[in-house]
Amino acid sequence: MNTATASRYAAEYPTIASALPGQTLPWLKALRAEALIAFSAHGFPSPREEEWRYTNVSGIEKKLFAPSVDLTGSDVDADWLKSYRLEDAWVLVLVNGHFSAELSVLDGLPEAVSVMSMADALAKQPDKVEKYLGAAADQSEHSFIAFNTAWFTDGLFVHVPAKLVLDKPIQLLHIVTGSDAMATTRNIIIADEMAEAKVIETYVGIDNAYLTSAVTEVFVGQNADVTLYKMQSESDKAYHFGGSYIKQARDARFTHHNFAFGGLLARSDIHADLDHASECELNGLYLGVKRQHIDNHTRINHLKPYAISRELYKGVLDDRARGVFQGRVIVAIDAQKTDSQMNNRNLLLSDDAEADTKPQLEIYADDVKCGHGVTVGQLDEKSIFYLQSRCVDEETARNMLTFAFANEMVDKIKIRSLHDKVLEQVLARFPQEGVNKEWL
Amino acid sequence: MLSIKNLHVSVGDKPILKGINLEIKAGEIHAIMGPNGSGKSTLSHVLSGKGGYTVTEGSATYQGKDLLEMAPEIRAREGLFLAFQYPVEIPGVSNIYLLKAALNSIRKHNGQPEVDAMDFLTLVKEKVRLLEMDEKFLYRAVNEGFSGGEKKRNEILQMAILEPKLCIMDETDSGLDIDALKIVSEGVNSLRSPERSFVMVTHYQRLLDYIKPDFVHVLANGQIVKSGGPELALELEEKGYSWVENNQAAA
Ligand SMILES: Nc1ncnc2c1ncn2[C@@H]1O[C@H](COP(=O)(O)OP(=O)(O)O)[C@@H](O)[C@H]1O
Ligand SMILES: [Mg+2]
């Protein structure tokens, strides 16, 4: 445990506290105070903690990232923004942790639906926020959650009422432009009974060192359906700590697609609690080049009988990049008839790349079907030769096989415009010549 | 077309081919028969450029060029085609795109423009019908989830579309039922031409009932121990491989 850096952040806290949203809400002040104490006592996570053993975050301790208190100085290049903003979605833009009304597109929302910034929600619907904030993300889980609770400046708030099916997705576009900046955001997504929603979180930044801390809490009501996409494409000098914490009610369906492409060091936690006959699908694709360190942690809690979980994470690691996958599936004693399958596949493109994979099944019920599989390997030489024997040169063959491996996850995206943007990112991250989209 | 002279090939320290001599002229069909483990696939692989083999002696000349110096994809673009004994599954790469890419790289190699999309589709569909395949296979990933027989047919489909000059077929008949064998044989026969040569590697004489070879060679223990006309296959069928192996031991 290293609390020295934590104390430095804590010492700065009073200078920004009064600018944080929700200052007039006693419950939030209390919650933030509690979080600050928890964070100060613990510091950032250390590799001695089991859940952090492959990921050393001490890099962030060399700097003191500064939160910005408002939107000033947050000019964003319009063309650059275009390459990330989806045309066919409602878009809420956060710049350096603050809502930009000017860049956001929220008109035409059905009246009954709330899509607003977290600061707005705290002003307009504080009781609802109080009910949900911290209800899925447990502050004691790890100190980044406490950090996020104490420091968050804004975020996305979505509430879809019962039986309402949103016909367009909602995009949260999270941009960091400042050097040595810190953007700490908190999001809440609520889909009431039988509601359906698709939300896309896009994390990007200008080519700088900065810190993103983002926590998203998702509440999927009874028989409701939520798909959450996360496209993490931060600058290659950035630190990203993100968590998605999901509570599924009875018969609720939740699908997550986690594209982890950017950041010098990026960590995502995805925790889902499943109720009776809930269905949960977690998909992930991480691409690491140069010295990137990309860590994904998933936890699926089967709390009640008949729930189904499916998980597939794939990683492609080149140069000296390191990918970490820790996936836990916990089947409670009551969760009979659980059906769970977890897979992690890693493709190493260089001798210096590394993949650490650790699937964990903890099963306390006796009548369940649970499986898992992991692979770490190189491109198959037989496949390369087969393609060569069909006129494809070796380099193109390698690229084709790499793309085909990654593309399985891209192909699962059901929103066309997002699919194309993610595919563009995949292609951009493997700059070898000769890859044709048509191959895929 | 192809001239193999005193070809010796090892895997690691283990000699597998021990002095192969073979002359194949344009338009000829050669059958290479031999017991399992005699080196048939090794010969096919070395000719098509698979890694992991060391040529310790001898040469292979293809259309006047040193075949063994060429990268596998160059051999393929120069018209050499290997129908694999065990075709490889390539998840995520669709059959039709691989076909198109392969055809276009051959055309590029020959200084021709890319194939027109409509012409390509017409050609592919014609060959799919010839091999009595379902068009759905075109849009599936290469060989993924195909049955053994479907994979073999897919190899011949590729061959029919790419129109190679030298077709090496490694046990294409193994694992095919009689109906599939007839279809595949018709596909191969339709490709016969005075400019095109075939090397049919097989373990069974049955294939030769449907595709008549000009020459039959018997490979045993890394050497061609006997060569003759089609009648050699029948004699072999009658007497079994032990006949040539014993002959070799006696020699
Ligand atoms: N990669 C390899 N490593 C070691 N031995 C091999 C390898 N490939 C083939 N062999 C050996 O070479 C011999 C010939 O194999 P192969 O060419 O596959 O025969 P065939 O196709 O006639 O059945 C066999 O004894 C086989 O075990
Ligand atoms: Mg063989």
Side-chain angles (χ1 to χ4, degrees), chain B residues 36-37 40-42 85-86 170-171 201:
Chain B
N36 284 326
K40 303 186 296 295
S41 289
T42 303
Q85 182 177 5
Y86 304 109
D170 190 0
E171 296 210 26
V201 168

Side-chain angles (χ1 to χ4, degrees), chain B residues 11-12 14-17 34-45 50 52-53 85 170-171 201 203 219:
Chain B
V11 172
K14 187 180 168 192
I16 294 174
L17 299 183
N36 284 326
S38 56
K40 303 186 296 295
S41 289
T42 303
L43 179 61
S44 313
H45 288 153
K50 188 176 181 187
Y53 301 97
Q85 182 177 5
D170 190 0
E171 296 210 26
V201 168
H203 186 71
L219 188 67

Side-chain angles (χ1 to χ4, degrees), chain A residues 195-376:
Chain A
E196 289 185 23
K198 294 178 178 61
V199 181
I200 299 145
E201 297 177 81
T202 305
Y203 294 91
V204 292
I206 311 272
D207 186 30
N208 279 325
Y210 60 83
L211 173 68
T212 295
S213 158
V215 169
T216 301
E217 298 183 82
V218 185
F219 302 88
V220 193
Q222 203 168 317
N223 205 22
D225 194 321
V226 172
T227 304
L228 182 61
Y229 295 90
K230 174 171 178 174
M231 160 133 127
Q232 186 277 98
S233 210
E234 305 271 25
S235 116
D236 59 6
K237 300 190 191 95
Y239 294 89
H240 176 98
F241 297 94
S244 307
Y245 301 88
I246 302 100
K247 282 218 180 297
Q248 295 183 238
R250 193 185 168 101
D251 301 319
R253 294 172 300 284
F254 174 74
T255 308
H256 194 248
H257 301 268
N258 179 8
F259 297 97
F261 299 162
L264 179 63
L265 191 160
R267 155 88 172 218
S268 285
D269 287 80
I270 295 96
H271 291 189
D273 287 347
L274 277 56
D275 202 320
H276 188 102
S278 315
E279 289 179 25
C280 176
E281 183 182 332
L282 303 184
N283 299 305
L285 174 66
Y286 44 101
L287 308 178
V289 296
K290 295 179 190 154
R291 289 178 160 276
Q292 281 184 287
H293 181 112
I294 300 182
D295 178 357
N296 288 294
H297 256 66
T298 66
R299 190 185 304 166
I300 300 173
N301 280 313
H302 281 265
L303 300 168
K304 294 283 167 60
Y306 292 105
I308 300 171
S309 63
R310 291 286 177 269
E311 177 165 13
L312 175 58
Y313 265 69
K314 286 180 129 182
V316 182
L317 302 158
D318 201 354
D319 306 323
R320 308 182 68 84
R322 186 170 178 196
V324 178
F325 173 82
Q326 284 198 61
R328 271 171 84 186
V329 173
I330 305 161
V331 181
I333 190 159
D334 288 340
Q336 300 296 3
K337 304 289 179 191
T338 287
D339 176 357
S340 167
Q341 184 67 44
M342 166 172 43
N343 285 290
N344 175 228
R345 314 228 167 277
N346 294 281
L347 182 56
L348 301 182
L349 299 181
S350 107
D351 290 343
D352 298 320
E354 184 180 331
D356 298 294
T357 170
K358 193 174 166 210
Q360 293 166 273
L361 297 182
E362 295 163 37
I363 302 173
Y364 303 102
D366 49 22
D367 183 11
V368 301
K369 201 168 82 190
C370 294
H372 73 279
V374 302
T375 54
V376 178

